[in-house]
Amino acid sequence: MKKYLVLLSLFLLPNITYAEQPQLKSKEEYKSDSQQICVKNWTKRGELDRRMYNHCLEGQMDGYDKVKNLHQYADQDFYSNTAYPYCLKNWTKREVVDTRMLAHCLEKEVEGIKDVMYYRKQYGDEAVNKIVGRALSRYGSWNMAAYSVKKAID
């Protein structure tokens, strides 16, 4: 029995996750991802629409700048444990990250936590936390948690 518990604890302990700061890809890696996305989106019958490709690439790289700026929240649990993993999962396909949409998603998540904090001040921690807990379990998103609180209050 004792061996079983030791083995079980050795197996489970490495799976416990702490609030580690999520790491961003390098600018070059994001640029490569952006190029893949823009080529795919703006190639029709084998011809690349250069004007739209350049516009797309510019938007993707603006997204990179926004993601980098939003990464100032990386040391906070709401970001590193919920917001960033949620957005990264939703905007990564085959390890290619859509930086423009990742930035948009992260902006919505940051606004969501700000809204939740506001609702806590207005309506009390206990009532809001119940709604937020259910919403985070169901959706995994601070934006959806804030929406759920607003919907419950109205």
Side-chain angles (χ1 to χ4, degrees), residues 73-137:
Y73 297 107
D75 64 338
Q76 297 181 30
D77 285 344
F78 88 90
Y79 182 90
S80 58
N81 290 337
T82 307
Y84 187 79
Y86 169 79
C87 292
L88 189 64
K89 177 182 169 213
N90 284 312
W91 295 107
T92 302
K93 305 291 184 254
R94 296 186 177 120
E95 297 187 26
V96 175
V97 180
D98 186 330
T99 53
R100 187 177 61 85
M101 293 308 297
L102 176 62
H104 175 72
C105 181
L106 288 171
E107 287 172 338
K108 300 292 277 180
E109 289 299 293
V110 169
E111 284 302 309
I113 188 69
K114 288 178 181 178
D115 289 347
V116 166
M117 300 307 281
Y118 170 78
Y119 293 139
R120 284 177 177 158
K121 286 180 187 172
Q122 295 297 311
Y123 303 105
D125 286 350
E126 189 175 329
V128 171
N129 286 345
K130 283 182 183 179
I131 300 166
V132 168
R134 282 193 308 264
L136 285 175
S137 294

Side-chain angles (χ1 to χ4, degrees), residues 19-127:
E20 279 187 35
Q21 289 189 8
Q23 297 299 311
L24 295 177
K25 290 182 175 183
S26 70
K27 186 172 185 173
E28 292 75 27
E29 289 171 313
Y30 279 124
K31 188 170 185 173
S32 174
D33 288 356
S34 299
Q35 289 169 336
Q36 290 178 51
I37 290 168
C38 295
V39 164
K40 181 180 177 202
N41 290 343
W42 296 107
T43 300
K44 187 172 181 179
R45 290 187 294 274
E47 288 201 31
L48 179 64
D49 181 337
R50 254 312 153 188
R51 187 178 63 80
M52 291 307 295
Y53 168 82
N54 290 336
H55 177 71
C56 174
L57 197 54
E58 183 180 312
Q60 289 290 328
M61 294 318 291
D62 286 347
Y64 167 76
D65 292 336
K66 288 178 184 176
V67 168
K68 196 171 169 188
N69 183 47
L70 287 164
H71 216 59
Q72 67 182 309
Y73 297 107
D75 64 338
Q76 297 181 30
D77 285 344
F78 88 90
Y79 182 90
S80 58
N81 290 337
T82 307
Y84 187 79
Y86 169 79
C87 292
L88 189 64
K89 177 182 169 213
N90 284 312
W91 295 107
T92 302
K93 305 291 184 254
R94 296 186 177 120
E95 297 187 26
V96 175
V97 180
D98 186 330
T99 53
R100 187 177 61 85
M101 293 308 297
L102 176 62
H104 175 72
C105 181
L106 288 171
E107 287 172 338
K108 300 292 277 180
E109 289 299 293
V110 169
E111 284 302 309
I113 188 69
K114 288 178 181 178
D115 289 347
V116 166
M117 300 307 281
Y118 170 78
Y119 293 139
R120 284 177 177 158
K121 286 180 187 172
Q122 295 297 311
Y123 303 105
D125 286 350
E126 189 175 329

